[in-house]
Amino acid sequence: MKKQLIELRVNGRPRELAVEPSKLLLETLRQDLQLTGSKRGCDDSSCGACTVLIDGVPMLSCTLLAASCEGQEITTVEGVSEHGALAAIQKAYGDWGGAQCGFCTPGFMMTVKHLLATTANPSEAEIREALSSNLCRCTGYSQMYQAIKAAIEAEQKGMDSLSQQVAK
Amino acid sequence: MVELRSTGKPRAAVRTWTSFMTDFSIIGKPIAMVDAAEKTTGAGKYTDDLSLPGMLIGKILHSPHPHARIKRIDTSRAQKLNDVIAVVVGADAPNPYGILPVGHDEHALAIDKVRYIGDNLACVVAVSEATAEAALELVEVEYEILPAYFDPEESMKAESNLIHDNKPHNLEKDYHHTFGDPDKGFAQSDYVTESRYLANEVTHAAMEPHSTLASFDIDSQTGQAGRLTVWSSTQVPYYLQHKLSLVLDMPMSQIRVIKPLVGGGFGGKSEVIPLEIIAAVAARKAKAPVKITYTREEVFWAHRGRPRTIIDLKTGVKNDGRITAVKARVVQDGGAYCSYGVVTILYSGALLGALYDIPNIHYDGYRVLTNKPACGAMRGHGTVNVRFAFESQLDEIAGRLQIDPAEIRRRNLLKPPCITVNGLRVQSYGLPECIDKIVERSGWKSRKGKMPKSRGLGIACSHYVSGAANSIIRSDMPHSTVNIKIDRDGGVVVYTGASEIGQGSDTMTAQVAAETLGCALSRIKIVAADTDLTPIDIGSYSSRVTFMAGNATMRAAQEVKKQIASAAAKKMNCAPEDLVFRDDSVFKQSTDHVGAGLRPAQEEQNSASVSGRVEGQILRGSLQQKRKDEGPKDSMSFEEAVVATIDFHGALTGTGSYAPPLEARGGKHKGGGVGPSPAYSYSAQVAEVSVDEDTGEVTVHKVWAAHDCGRALNPVSVEGQIIGSVWMGMGQALTEEMVWKDGLLMNPGLLEYRSPSSVESPEIEPIIVESIDPEGPFGAKECSEGSLAATIPAIANAIYDAVGIRLRESPFTPERVLAALRAKKNAKTLDMTEGVDPTAPVRLREHGGALWFKGKGPERHELDPARRTEGG
Ligand code: FES
Ligand code: FES
């Protein structure tokens, strides 16, 4: 199949590349852009390890054509850390045991990022429901809930200290 | 059981030691895994994330038949396809191999026969995956179909068309063990019960599909292909190196295996998986680096999971609940190759012992070959299904004798230190405390028997080895060796062959090294699992890493510590024994070392002592000056002490290794090598479930799981391992099952296999029990497998408590629960398959094979739209 020139915006940066129209976003990220953080864990869109954000919405990159994502903002796990440091959720996943083998973790990072962006104070049921799009075989998910709660707390504290500073 | 010394309350003695030893600075504290950031940022590399210049992609052609002779295999058409570089077949690597020395029955690619649907026939190497896949369609294979065996009990009757010619009756191995006098034991009992239990087949389904990248260097002297480097998703890099050497006819010294990050193993990567060898053979033929990554469906075929197991179990007890004898007949449906099978069937018998005091045991174990993917080692290897049967039966007995199910377990405790009737040495034994803890936390006494309708509580226990006392190859070679190098920069590099697979091996190593040396964790750098760089470690399986590699790490650290101590003692004018290593400094024991006083100063110094390299010499301006100025002193920073040692001794290196003590290696009987361990972990669990009597659906609300891990080196990791084990046990108990139809796996996808998602997962409360093992590193034992086995019977027993049905077949699916509920009411069983394809298996699925599977597999049902027409 003949390659086409497309332009993707990945983690805030424009990337021009030539891909077959049939190429999946996951493969384009991993093979053409060397962004190997997103993983392939299944054949049939069932595991969520490949989750990326498309305009802020979690999507399975193994189920999207790269060419169809032109003009949209793609965020991968490589775009989650902030200013060279771990984002609160990444730190919390490490501290609370949310990642064991880590293979599912990039997908969870994206799912959780979206959850936190859309739900201010998610209940445990809401967290569970959000996470059910991703599979993990190591953790039994429990420590992820703790991590998410800790990240929310850390962020709120961060916000508080920020607003305190502003008040001063 | 032989008691090793007068029992005199070993647990109390242990307590004192605990309180004395709790003063640790690194271990015992929850810390993030040392590689956590790599994982949460996506920066860490797993095998499939790697690529090399000029790398080609390999795709494997799998057998569509469960049992057939290969009459002809013609790759010429595939070969001719543009951009196909090579096609590899069995003849390219005819040497047999297998993980066990007694089971060398596999070939990289089939030579004369295929033995299961999914068996490996050929590998196409091409510049792209799409080309390789297209070429697979062009490989022509002519088969002579042979009768196939799918049921172990049928398979054992076979006289001809054997799966392996040298295995009469398709019997891989059988063992018959008698310990004590079982007949007498049963004769002495007041009550005997006997039942058949069936545990269906489950698989690891680690999130990372297997992947291997193989590449040959060109030798400078000969100008020909020389050394081979293999990056692989493995739990056992050194075994892989050995098997590669066998199959490729290359000396081990010419093969380097590197284990990148591994996305979960659970035993599925604890032996050599065909693609690992195929990739190397393909790279040799293609004369270029080759990467092969399995699809999820291929992972299911590679399998090596927990076999479907039939257990006929008989237990005799006295009226007070004391067990007098146990008899077990275990038949395992092992699949087409030996794999770890001989070990699995031995574990099933051996670990009847070491949990409770059973004076008389008779065991008949049969490992049977069938035309299905090979079963192997899976979390809780060999012990899980038998434990399900045993703990269910014990619950039944308790009910019958009207003894509280927690109490009957207490009445059968071992009295350690002791040697069980089947030769297992038990020292630390936290089971009593585990039972106490869960009884208390779950409110067992006040709630059991008073639960609302259809809701119940169940209890069960389990245990597991902290590493096998005898390695696969019986030898006196150490099981783990660790090297440590410390340089003038004060950095501590630990070289370990232990394999991090997500369980925290690298973190454990770093913690043990830092604690032993009393240095900051940030000094430790781990170099792991690279056969060129790291000393041999037999791998991450049988829950051996913390105990064995941990001990080796501790010994290596002690060796360097001794050198540092002798140098530091000279500087401080004291005896080396008077020195304490802690908080990144070395100080005299007599000094009032107050962490708070010393620490900030040390930290300042550390940041101030930036080394500058001037004319090839490392100068530490302020630091060295300071040393000169002051005379003998009471304390030194770790870095100062290191520099002093290097000044005295030159290079600062140490090595430590671990081999299990002779006393722990078990009895002399045939098969007695499997089961013994230097230490056993213990678990007790209570599950709370409810059963929907209309739909048969079981919901697990909560599991309380107490686990005796000796000592929790990193509590957050220990809890994670306990939760993960319980969760995986719950999967096997409720949903997970490999469904077969004439040797074809009907559910080779994660959703169809039903790996539980977050909404289906219960709350699990992990409770750490520390029995401080006398031989474990800082008293630690395993924590990653022992909890799994108790979950299944705890749930089964809770279901009985809820609705009064005994489920003897796992998983406890709604169909099975409903059938049992109806049987209890003497109602006719519902035929859930009425009106559907009569050839379909009991459990249904909408298509035969995953959607990706485009027809190299077996024939689909005639109504299946994905069905290919003949020859298409
Ligand atoms: S790779 Fe599994 S859902 Fe995308
Ligand atoms: S951490 Fe291993 S799959 Fe989630």
Side-chain angles (χ1 to χ4, degrees), chain A residues 24 27 30-31 34-49 62 77-81 85-86 89-106 108-109 124-125 127-143 145-146, chain B residues 31-33 36-37 39-42 44-46 48-49 129 203-209 262-264 266 293-298 378-379 500-503 715-717 719-721 723-725 727-728 736 748-753 755-764 850-852:
Chain A
L24 297 174
E27 263 142 36
R30 288 176 55 80
Q31 292 165 8
Q34 280 82 48
L35 293 171
T36 54
S38 308
K39 306 296 182 205
R40 184 185 67 77
C42 70
D43 314 332
D44 52 4
S45 316
S46 61
C47 74
C62 71
V77 69
E78 287 89 349
V80 174
S81 30
L86 294 182
I89 185 63
Q90 292 174 312
K91 180 75 172 59
Y93 256 61
D95 290 345
W96 291 88
Q100 286 183 21
C101 78
F103 198 79
C104 68
T105 313
F108 274 99
M109 285 297 121
E124 177 147 337
I127 297 178
R128 279 176 185 263
E129 196 175 313
L131 298 195
S132 69
S133 56
N134 298 57
L135 290 175
C136 171
R137 200 63 183 155
C138 299
T139 60
Y141 311 101
S142 290
Q143 291 181 322
Y145 311 141
Q146 288 174 304
Chain B
I31 60 159
M33 289 212 216
K39 289 166 177 172
T40 56
T41 58
K45 297 285 182 205
Y46 299 77
D48 190 45
D49 300 339
E129 192 171 340
T203 198
H204 325 82
M207 288 307 299
E208 179 205 18
V262 170
F266 315 114
T293 302
Y294 276 162
T295 63
R296 177 53 62 183
E297 185 161 9
E298 287 178 300
M378 181 170 164
R379 206 172 197 175
E500 169 69 55
I501 55 168
Q503 86 281 42
V716 71
S717 280
E719 292 191 353
Q721 291 303 314
I723 296 170
S725 303
W727 175 86
M728 202 172 258
E736 292 176 31
L750 294 168
L751 289 184
E752 299 152 315
Y753 173 70
S755 176
S757 77
S758 55
V759 286
E760 294 143 339
S761 303
E763 187 190 337
I764 297 163
L851 289 171
W852 266 45

Side-chain angles (χ1 to χ4, degrees), chain B residues 474-494:
Chain B
R474 275 238 198 186
S475 79
D476 289 326
M477 198 182 81
H479 291 205
S480 287
T481 300
V482 169
N483 291 343
I484 290 183
K485 178 213 87 168
I486 309 184
D487 244 315
R488 295 186 80 95
D489 59 2
V492 178
V493 190
V494 184

Side-chain angles (χ1 to χ4, degrees), chain B residues 252-268:
Chain B
M252 283 219 278
S253 64
Q254 301 303 300
I255 300 169
R256 175 182 189 182
V257 175
I258 301 173
K259 179 209 68 69
L261 285 181
V262 170
F266 315 114

Side-chain angles (χ1 to χ4, degrees), chain B residues 523-547:
Chain B
R523 290 191 186 278
I524 312 279
K525 299 161 209 176
I526 305 288
V527 176
D530 176 332
T531 58
D532 265 12
L533 303 181
T534 56
I536 189 166
D537 177 286
I538 59 177
S540 284
Y541 64 95
S542 78
S543 267
R544 54 176 297 286
V545 172
T546 295
F547 201 95

Side-chain angles (χ1 to χ4, degrees), chain B residues 487-490 609-621 623-624 627 639 643 646-647:
Chain B
D487 244 315
R488 295 186 80 95
D489 59 2
S609 65
V610 184
S611 344
R613 186 177 283 272
V614 182
E615 289 174 320
Q617 229 192 345
I618 296 170
L619 294 181
R620 283 154 209 279
L623 214 87
Q624 284 192 340
R627 262 193 332 193
E639 197 167 336
V643 172
I646 294 175
D647 287 346

